[in-house]
């Protein structure tokens, strides 16, 4: 009897996961160029976490605001919305706009654990003595 109750209790979460996965696959198929990205501005150590249909025009717009795109990967707008919601729920507040955050080690650590592309900033997390400013020069 308990096994049947456990099976019934697990049906809803499993179906939710299946639906979410199929929505993601359908969204990626509909828009194969969709990208999630992280950009960084050194002057005030700000990250912008975004989604775009095409990374090239966004990269130009970000460069006009002194941001450097660190990394991007194929993704969906839903991923970005869920990330922003998750950051808010764990107490990381945005700065200038809803998708801009301080590039603090705490924020970067959470982004890394959540699987968000952070590029070269990931290397700074692995060092014991993190510099106050991240050096993005190659």
């Amino acid at each position: 009897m308990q096994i049947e109750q456990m099976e019934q209790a697990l049906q809803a979460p499993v179906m939710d996961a299946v639906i979410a996965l199929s929505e993601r696959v359908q969204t990626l198929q509909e828009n194969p160029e969709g990208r999630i990205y992280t950009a960084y501005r050194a002057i005030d150590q700000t990250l912008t976490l975004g989604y775009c249909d095409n990374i090239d025009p966004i990269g130009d717009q970000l460069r006009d605001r002194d941001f450097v795109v660190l990394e991007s990967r194929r993704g969906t707008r839903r991923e970005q919305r869920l990330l922003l919601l998750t950051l808010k729920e764990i107490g990381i507040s945005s700065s200038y706009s809803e998708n801009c955050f301080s590039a603090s080690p705490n924020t970067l650590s959470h982004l890394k654990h959540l699987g968000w592309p952070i590029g070269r900033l990931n290397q700074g997390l692995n060092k014991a003595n993190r510099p106050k400013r991240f050096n993005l020069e190659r």
Side-chain angles (χ1 to χ4, degrees), residues 68-86:
V68 175
V69 176
L70 298 176
E71 188 174 358
S72 71
R73 69 167 168 79
R74 192 171 173 204
T76 65
R77 186 173 304 281
R78 183 171 187 266
E79 279 183 88
Q80 183 213 17
R81 286 194 307 260
L82 288 173
L83 176 82
L84 296 177
L85 181 63
T86 302

Side-chain angles (χ1 to χ4, degrees), residues 7-122:
E7 286 177 351
Q8 286 180 339
L10 290 172
Q11 282 179 354
V14 168
M15 288 308 297
D16 288 343
V18 168
I19 290 167
L21 182 59
S22 63
E23 285 176 353
R24 175 174 161 65
V25 169
Q26 288 171 356
T27 303
L28 288 173
Q29 288 173 346
E30 289 172 13
N31 189 359
E33 300 300 317
R35 311 286 292 175
I36 56 172
Y37 64 87
T38 300
Y40 176 74
R41 182 168 58 198
I43 194 163
D44 59 357
Q45 298 181 357
T46 298
L47 296 172
T48 186
L49 311 172
Y51 168 84
C52 61
D53 293 328
N54 186 342
I55 195 72
D56 296 329
I58 295 297
D60 294 338
Q61 292 173 8
L62 290 169
R63 275 190 292 282
D64 291 344
R65 295 175 29 217
D66 294 327
F67 279 95
V68 175
V69 176
L70 298 176
E71 188 174 358
S72 71
R73 69 167 168 79
R74 192 171 173 204
T76 65
R77 186 173 304 281
R78 183 171 187 266
E79 279 183 88
Q80 183 213 17
R81 286 194 307 260
L82 288 173
L83 176 82
L84 296 177
L85 181 63
T86 302
L87 292 175
K88 184 177 180 180
E89 286 179 356
I90 60 178
I92 297 176
S93 57
S94 56
S95 53
Y96 302 113
S97 66
E98 74 171 5
N99 63 331
C100 288
F101 297 87
S102 169
S104 70
N106 183 42
T107 302
L108 293 172
S109 176
H110 285 297
L111 291 173
K112 177 183 176 185
H113 291 298
L114 291 168
W116 194 259
I118 58 175
R120 291 174 274 175
L121 294 179
N122 190 23

